[in-house]
């Protein structure tokens, strides 16, 4: 620690801290323009100059370390004069077009001028500024307003890792441009706009829509992905005009991705469903809530009387809140009498959760996500985590760029993080188990595993070691296609790191044999030390917003809320709910088969679209065309609403209350920023109303009371406490300490490497499920579906960029435009699943995200 005086106040601060940090601690404010806590100091604006006793010249507080015995003066006539001159120099070429600048009212430069009493621009010079750049998607660049603070460049490079911007030219001609001089082609996270202290970088969708002082900021949580960043909806006259986040006070440190910054447009879409719709013959007509819900309740009663409660089924959704999913399962189990409930989690997250529960006793991530940012090594396995959960990517950037950690990426594709990885393990499709086992064996062979930790954590260690010793490394090299030296390098990085974070995602969870892959990764996590200590951990990533909450609420037949096995906990819930609960229950596959066989006659889809997002979507289409009665509760029109008999309009997260749970078990409240559009209702209100109609006991229509019931019945949520709307107070859970785990060794199957042309589907950075395909902002950078193909494969087919391609499997076929990129290796195609125009999921069989295909030019 060092001791110093600031404006006469004694301050003690850790060695290496800056004068600015010491001043903040002393409660002394120093003006800044180029300083931003989350990036490295630039020291370019000089506004933060202070006097240091004994030094002739003022020093910049933001990048000068505080040293023992310093005496600092932050306010004096000399300092005020210097600061004024510094800012007046910044204004030399500044256009002072404040009346037409979109940053007016939230411009740091304007505020500093005001604070320093600068009321004129004494210096003038020839304006050599670069002209306004309007050719970038989503972002406008006005170089004449730039003060060259480089916050945008540094946030883009150091925080987001996109490294798309740089300072070009010198002197008066200097301006911020893209690194290649072409129109911006980046992650479009909008963080450069958020940190710009002037009106240089502006959001085009927000341009001239509202003045900052007209906007009310409503704190909430982004539910576009499982990271659940804290956000503020900026609202005017009942409409969301933009989404922002605050530095320093949010779990995401003010950072947002494209989903929040530019993907909110679907909330305001003209296509939103505003009134209930009831089918009459081949047409829909608008109906009142009483009529629509009455029709649904009547049909439920009729089907139940004629065919029994087992002929009714429903699918919940990670787009719904915890309370809504809780009500959904209660509606089916307690009011309808059917345990035929499930969700898309069956194709991924549920498999992961079951496998992680079996191997490590975990129901998700072992640690909060900020432990990734502090890990000494991070391994990202089978995940384009940049797309699946951008906030996890930022934690990885922090670990590896800021804290100099090692990065290992294991993926079939050369995803973004592979570009910066210390070791990139590009494995052949289907060889995840072989790769994970080989790394575990190498860690033991190289003597890099923490034997003491393993000894107290793994009850069958001798057995596990014996099994790993038999892993054929040469076979692993052949199968995965990765050099032995590279495997050893990766193992060394993991083994030599003091803490390890193991992140895995879609290609593990949604691929064939997910359970075996998770078991192999659980062993790797244990052997690499990822589960040892408070830093790092194991982090299963699911792209969908409230997937953790959906599973915690028991929207699957095997479990009641709180992961309480159905058979075991049934009596407890029967007592609490005062009803006899049904036996058995169909899962997703059983529901589909039941519809095909005519045994399931009624299906309720709550905020889920099997026809675009589920694998084997063609089979789902045939089933939904056949089911006798289909109810769809959703916010936007889709292929499923068109097939429905009754459509019930729910609302977006900006219009509702309730809680959601992040992938690292943070529980946060949504802040209701605007009223529901039209006559749409909060989803929990729809479910509660229906419950009321079907059950003599009824449900209290209040999310707080629903939460109180949840807390009384779910051990996981009893400690959850809310600090207010839109903000969370994480549950104080005891740190995860594996002990006496019996790990199951899963051998890699010989010949598991896929043969022939493979099609892989998944999420892309620019879209989140299907909702953002209704947002103008995200559509501007990703307007339609496509298929990514390696240049050599494209050449062999005579295909150029944008050419048409058809992919065909035994399941079905789809066609779209081709994108040519070496991101995919030869023999592998990748297609995003979000777009109904391509509807790529119909090519996949159930239970996998990859299939062998024939590919042809069209
Ligand atoms: Fe210190 Fe800009 S804030 S030099």
């Amino acid at each position: 620690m060092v001791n110093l005086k600031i404006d006469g106040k004694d301050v003690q601060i850790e060695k290496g801290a800056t004068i600015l940090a010491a001043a903040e601690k002393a409660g002394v404010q120093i003006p800044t323009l180029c300083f931003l806590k989350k990036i490295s100091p630039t020291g370019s604006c000089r506004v933060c100059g202070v006097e240091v006793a004994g030094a002739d010249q003022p020093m910049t507080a933001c990048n000068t370390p505080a040293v023992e015995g310093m005496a600092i003066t932050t306010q004096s006539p000399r300092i005020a004069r210097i600061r004024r001159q510094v800012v007046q120099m910044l204004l030399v070429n500044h256009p002072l077009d404040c009346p037409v600048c979109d940053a007016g009212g939230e411009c740091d430069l304007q505020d500093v001028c005001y604070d320093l009493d600068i009321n004129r621009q004494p210096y003038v010079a020839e304006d050599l500024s670069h002209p306004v750049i309007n050719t970038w998607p989503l972002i406008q660049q006005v170089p004449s307003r730039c003060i060259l603070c480089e916050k945008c460049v540094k946030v883009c490079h150091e925080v987001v890792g996109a490294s798309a911007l740089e300072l070009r030219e010198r002197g008066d001609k200097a301006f911020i441009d893209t690194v290649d001089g072409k129109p911006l082609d980046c992650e479009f996270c909008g963080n450069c706009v958020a940190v710009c202290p002037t009106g240089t970088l502006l959001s085009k969708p927000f341009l001239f829509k509202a003045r900052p002082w007209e906007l009310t900021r409503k704190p909430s949580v982004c539910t576009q992905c499982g990271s659940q960043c804290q956000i503020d909806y900026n609202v005017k006259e009942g409409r969301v005009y933009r989404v922002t986040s605050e530095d320093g006070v949010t779990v995401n440190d003010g950072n947002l991705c494209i989903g929040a910054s530019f993907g909110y447009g679907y909330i305001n879409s003209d296509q939103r469903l505003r009134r209930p719709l009831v089918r009459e013959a081949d047409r829909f007509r608008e109906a009142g809530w009483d009529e629509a819900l009455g029709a649904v309740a009547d049909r439920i009663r009729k089907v139940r009387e004629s065919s029994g409660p087992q002929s009714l089924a429903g699918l919940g959704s990670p787009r719904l809140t915890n309370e809504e999913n809780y009500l959904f399962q209660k509606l089916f189990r307690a009011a309808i009498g059917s345990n035929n409930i499930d969700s898309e989690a069956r194709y991924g997250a549920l498999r992961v959760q079951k496998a992680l529960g079996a191997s490590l006793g975990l129901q998700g991530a072992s640690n909060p996500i900020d432990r990734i940012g502090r890990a000494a090594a991070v391994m990202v396995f089978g995940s384009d985590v940049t797309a699946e959960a951008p906030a996890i990517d930022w934690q990885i950037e922090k670990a590896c760029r800021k804290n100099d950690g090692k990065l290992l990426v294991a993926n079939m594709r050369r995803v973004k993080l592979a570009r910066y990885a210390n070791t990139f393990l590009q494995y052949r499709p289907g060889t995840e188990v072989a790769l994970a086992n080989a790394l575990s064996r190498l860690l033991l062979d190289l003597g890099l595993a923490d034997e003491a930790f393993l000894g107290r954590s793994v009850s069958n260690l001798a057995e596990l070691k014996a099994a790993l010793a038999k892993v054929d490394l040469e076979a692993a090299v052949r199968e995965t296609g990765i050099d032995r030296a590279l495997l050893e390098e990766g193992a060394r990085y993991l083994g030599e790191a003091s803490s390890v974070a193991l992140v895995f995602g879609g290609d593990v969870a949604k691929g064939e044999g997910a359970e075996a892959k998770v078991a192999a990764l659980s062993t790797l996590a244990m052997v690499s030390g990822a589960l040892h200590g408070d830093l790092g951990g194991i982090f299963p990533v699911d792209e969908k917003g409230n997937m953790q909450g959906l599973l915690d609420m028991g929207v699957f037949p095997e479990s009641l809320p709180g992961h309480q096995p159905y058979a075991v906990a049934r009596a407890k819930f029967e007592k609490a709910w005062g009803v006899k609960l049904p036996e058995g229950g169909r899962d997703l596959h059983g529901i589909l088969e039941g519809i095909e066989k005519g045994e399931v006659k009624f299906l309720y889809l709550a905020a889920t679209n099997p026809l675009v997002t589920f694998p084997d979507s063609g089979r789902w289409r045939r089933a939904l065309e056949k089911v006798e009665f289909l109810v769809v509760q959703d916010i936007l029109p889709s292929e499923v609403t068109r097939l429905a008999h009754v459509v019930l309009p729910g609302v977006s997260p900006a219009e509702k209350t309730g809680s959601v749970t992040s992938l690292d078990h943070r529980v946060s409240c949504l802040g209701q920023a605007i009223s529901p559009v039209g006559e749409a209702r909060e989803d929990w209100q729809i479910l509660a109303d229906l419950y009321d109609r079907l059950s003599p006991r009824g449900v209290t229509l209040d999310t707080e009371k629903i939460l109180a019931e949840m807390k009384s019945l779910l051990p996981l949520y009893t400690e959850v406490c809310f600090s207010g709307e839109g903000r969370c107070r994480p549950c104080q859970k005891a740190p995860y300490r594996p002990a006496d785990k019996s790990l199951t060794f899963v051998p890699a199957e010989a010949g598991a490497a896929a043969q022939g042309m493979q099609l892989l589907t998944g999420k892309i950075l620019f879209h989140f499920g299907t909702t953002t395909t209704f947002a103008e902002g995200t559509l501007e950078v990703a307007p339609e579906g496509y298929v990514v193909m390696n240049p050599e494969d494209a050449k062999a087919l005579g295909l150029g960029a944008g050419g048409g391609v058809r992919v065909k499997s035994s399941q079905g076929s789809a066609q779209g435009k081709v994108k040519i990129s070496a991101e995919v290796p030869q023999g592998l195609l990748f297609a995003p699943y979000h777009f109904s125009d391509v509807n790529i999921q119909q090519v996949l069989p159930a239970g996998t995200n990859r299939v062998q295909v024939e590919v042809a030019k069209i």
Side-chain angles (χ1 to χ4, degrees):
M1 299 296 274
V2 295
N3 299 284
L4 65 159
K5 271 194 191 318
I6 296 188
D7 292 345
K9 289 185 188 172
D10 289 319
V11 198
Q12 192 178 58
I13 196 155
E14 61 276 7
K15 213 170 166 197
T18 60
I19 296 172
L20 188 66
E24 191 185 349
K25 198 172 176 193
V28 173
Q29 227 191 333
I30 297 174
T32 62
L33 277 173
C34 69
F35 174 77
L36 189 64
K37 216 175 235 171
K38 62 189 174 190
I39 57 173
S40 59
T42 304
S44 64
C45 76
R46 324 303 286 175
V47 172
C48 64
V50 291
E51 289 187 283
V52 180
D56 291 344
Q57 298 299 324
M59 293 185 177
T60 43
C62 69
N63 59 356
T64 304
V67 294
E68 183 67 30
M70 255 183 176
I72 311 287
T73 304
T74 71
Q75 305 289 343
S76 71
R78 180 181 175 226
I79 282 294
R81 194 184 69 246
I82 290 170
R83 285 182 188 155
R84 268 199 296 276
Q85 281 179 343
V86 159
V87 176
Q88 282 168 339
M89 291 303 288
L90 289 176
L91 293 177
V92 164
N93 276 329
H94 200 86
L96 296 189
D97 58 351
C98 307
V100 291
C101 174
D102 226 36
E106 54 184 2
C107 170
D108 294 348
L109 181 62
Q110 204 174 54
D111 292 346
V112 166
C113 285
Y114 186 83
D115 289 345
L116 295 176
D117 206 15
I118 296 170
N119 49 24
R120 64 198 180 92
Q121 191 181 15
Y123 311 115
V124 284
E126 188 187 355
D127 187 359
L128 301 175
S129 302
H130 193 277
V132 174
I133 301 173
N134 251 325
T135 52
W136 298 356
L138 296 173
I139 294 170
Q140 185 187 62
Q141 195 335 21
V142 187
S144 59
R145 295 178 187 152
C146 183
I147 59 168
L148 304 179
C149 69
E150 294 187 59
K151 282 182 187 174
C152 54
V153 175
K154 290 195 170 182
V155 161
C156 182
H157 179 70
E158 296 175 13
V159 177
V160 180
S163 307
L165 298 171
E166 69 173 16
L167 187 59
R168 192 175 289 268
E169 300 280 6
R170 291 285 175 269
D172 287 354
K173 290 185 177 172
F175 72 108
I176 303 297
D177 197 6
T178 55
V179 289
D180 56 7
K182 294 180 183 165
L184 190 62
D185 180 14
C186 64
E187 297 180 22
F188 295 101
C189 60
N191 291 315
C192 55
V193 175
V195 299
C196 180
T198 68
T200 307
L201 292 169
L202 296 166
S203 159
K204 282 186 181 173
F206 179 63
L207 211 55
F208 303 122
K209 294 284 191 313
R211 307 305 286 171
W213 56 85
E214 295 177 303
L215 297 166
T216 305
R217 291 188 186 216
K218 185 74 182 175
S220 193
V221 185
C222 179
T223 55
Q224 299 276 36
C225 85
S227 314
Q228 294 182 4
C229 293
Q230 286 171 247
I231 56 170
D232 292 319
Y233 289 113
N234 289 227
V235 175
K236 178 182 141 187
E237 292 163 2
R239 189 179 171 93
V240 173
Y241 275 85
R242 66 176 177 180
V243 174
T244 54
S245 185
E246 276 184 69
D247 272 7
V249 297
T250 55
V251 290
N252 41 303
D253 204 9
N255 303 311
L256 293 177
C257 74
I258 184 170
S261 293
F262 297 109
Y264 58 86
Y266 76 93
I267 300 168
N268 305 321
S269 169
D270 292 342
Q271 297 184 62
R272 284 284 303 274
L273 299 167
R274 288 160 196 272
R275 277 174 203 86
L277 301 171
V278 173
R279 178 177 292 282
E280 266 179 7
D282 284 345
R283 313 184 66 149
F284 281 116
R285 73 171 164 78
E286 290 186 349
W289 277 104
D290 196 45
E291 182 191 350
L293 287 173
V296 174
D298 279 353
R299 183 55 77 116
I300 288 172
R301 281 192 213 97
K302 275 187 192 139
V303 173
R304 191 167 53 184
E305 275 159 28
S306 63
S307 309
Q310 292 312 314
S311 53
L312 296 109
L315 301 183
S317 169
R319 274 200 273 136
L320 298 179
T321 64
N322 294 334
E323 290 76 7
E324 289 158 354
N325 275 307
Y326 178 85
L327 265 180
F328 183 77
Q329 59 83 35
K330 185 174 176 181
L331 168 72
F332 266 85
R333 286 167 169 155
I336 296 176
S338 167
N339 192 27
N340 297 339
I341 52 169
D342 211 345
S343 74
E344 64 184 276
R346 180 72 51 184
Y347 294 125
L350 180 57
R351 298 194 291 186
V352 170
Q353 202 160 70
K354 285 184 175 186
L356 265 187
S359 57
L360 299 170
L362 281 168
Q363 281 150 347
S366 65
N367 263 335
I369 57 173
D370 66 342
R371 308 299 164 86
I372 301 172
R374 291 189 274 151
V378 182
M379 177 159 207
V380 187
F381 201 113
S383 172
D384 181 4
V385 76
T386 312
E388 291 171 18
I392 305 289
D393 177 316
W394 308 329
Q395 288 293 336
I396 295 167
E397 305 289 342
K398 191 187 265 184
C400 301
R401 286 177 192 273
K402 193 168 176 185
N403 300 336
D404 212 17
K406 299 295 181 215
L407 175 60
L408 284 84
V409 172
N411 205 300
M412 289 174 261
R413 293 180 287 147
R414 186 171 281 276
V415 290
K416 171 200 159 185
L417 286 176
R419 279 184 255 150
Y420 313 115
N422 296 83
T423 304
F424 175 37
L425 305 169
Q426 188 166 21
Y427 60 83
R428 290 203 181 108
T431 62
E432 289 91 345
V433 174
L435 174 55
N437 284 348
L439 290 170
S440 293
R441 172 172 174 178
L442 282 167
L443 279 160
L444 289 170
D445 285 2
L446 295 168
L448 294 171
D450 182 339
E451 294 288 344
F453 165 71
L454 286 178
R456 63 177 185 272
S457 308
V458 183
S459 58
N460 62 337
L461 186 58
E463 195 187 315
L464 183 73
K465 280 184 167 180
L468 284 172
K470 288 188 195 140
V471 168
D472 184 341
L473 289 173
E474 290 317 309
V477 167
R478 274 196 314 276
E479 287 278 307
T480 60
I482 301 169
D483 284 351
R484 166 86 179 240
L486 212 51
L487 288 173
E488 283 191 18
E489 179 185 277
R492 277 190 196 284
Y493 280 136
L494 291 178
E496 288 167 2
S498 56
S499 54
V500 172
L502 177 52
V503 177
F504 66 92
D507 293 345
V508 172
K510 294 181 181 168
E512 211 175 333
E515 294 83 354
K517 293 172 192 171
V518 175
L521 287 174
S522 298
T523 298
L524 180 58
M526 200 69 98
V527 176
S528 67
L531 298 170
H532 186 192
D534 291 337
L535 300 183
I538 189 165
F539 300 88
V541 171
D542 190 276
E543 63 179 88
K544 293 291 176 77
N546 194 30
M547 186 59 89
Q548 186 69 42
L550 167 79
L551 294 175
D552 287 353
M553 295 306 132
V555 187
F556 52 106
E558 301 95 312
S559 193
L560 280 153
H563 303 275
Q564 301 176 74
Y566 194 81
V568 177
R570 201 167 66 171
K572 171 180 162 185
F573 280 81
E574 283 178 344
K575 193 170 166 210
W577 292 343
V579 289
K580 190 108 185 83
L581 293 181
E583 301 211 6
R586 291 176 186 266
D587 67 10
L588 193 73
H589 308 301
I591 291 169
L592 181 57
E593 274 174 28
I595 298 171
E596 288 169 338
K597 289 179 182 163
E599 292 165 3
V600 170
K601 300 175 190 302
F602 173 101
L603 184 65
Y604 195 118
L605 297 178
T608 187
N609 182 349
L611 302 190
V612 177
T613 55
F614 288 16
D616 208 1
S617 60
R619 188 175 164 199
W620 273 100
R621 169 175 288 282
R622 292 188 291 279
L624 297 195
E625 284 168 350
K626 179 176 178 185
V627 72
E628 279 181 23
F629 203 81
L630 177 64
V631 179
V632 177
Q633 178 175 327
D634 215 326
I635 67 169
L636 288 155
S638 68
E639 301 70 16
V640 282
T641 57
R642 285 188 270 282
L643 293 176
H645 295 88
V646 175
V647 177
L648 305 171
V651 298
S652 76
E655 296 149 70
K656 63 168 73 167
T657 51
S659 68
V660 288
T661 307
S662 67
L663 63 88
D664 59 343
H665 311 287
R666 252 177 299 122
V667 183
S668 312
C669 298
L670 299 178
Q672 191 173 25
I674 56 173
S675 303
V677 301
E679 291 168 23
R681 282 188 182 178
E682 291 187 55
D683 295 78
W684 66 267
Q685 289 175 324
I686 301 170
L687 296 165
D689 193 333
L690 206 46
Y691 188 95
D692 213 15
R693 289 166 191 264
L694 291 164
S695 160
R697 290 174 65 85
V699 158
T700 318
L701 298 176
D702 177 323
T703 44
E704 274 181 31
K705 294 199 176 113
I706 299 165
L707 180 67
E709 181 180 320
M710 280 163 49
K711 285 168 88 160
S712 71
L713 290 166
L714 278 74
L716 280 174
Y717 282 70
T718 48
E719 296 300 315
V720 168
C721 38
F722 297 109
S723 56
E725 284 180 338
R727 293 292 178 254
C728 62
R729 198 185 311 160
C731 221
Q732 291 303 312
K733 286 201 321 173
Y736 177 70
R737 298 269 180 271
D740 287 333
K741 299 291 174 222
S742 175
L743 293 175
T744 306
F745 174 74
V746 182
E749 273 178 47
Q755 305 297 320
M757 182 65 82
Q758 298 286 308
L759 168 74
L760 179 74
T761 74
K763 185 183 178 308
I764 54 168
L765 175 63
F766 301 134
H767 284 288
F768 298 78
T770 52
T771 47
T772 51
T773 61
F774 290 82
E776 285 168 12
T778 43
L779 282 174
E780 188 172 338
V781 289
E784 59 187 358
Y786 54 86
V787 177
V788 186
M789 184 181 277
N790 181 273
E792 294 303 319
D793 289 334
K795 200 165 139 192
L797 281 172
L799 271 163
V805 70
R806 178 182 295 117
V807 287
K808 186 169 175 286
S809 72
S810 53
Q811 219 66 23
S813 71
Q815 57 189 56
K817 288 182 185 163
V818 75
K819 268 193 183 179
I820 300 173
S821 167
E823 177 196 297
V824 289
Q826 269 185 274
L828 183 69
L829 307 169
F830 173 78
Y833 74 82
H834 313 277
F835 302 95
S836 55
D837 60 344
V838 172
N839 203 346
I840 200 72
Q841 297 293 78
Q842 62 194 324
V843 181
L844 295 175
T848 182
N849 63 344
R850 182 174 52 77
V851 66
Q852 187 173 344
V853 288
E854 288 168 14
V855 55
K857 181 179 174 181
I858 53 170

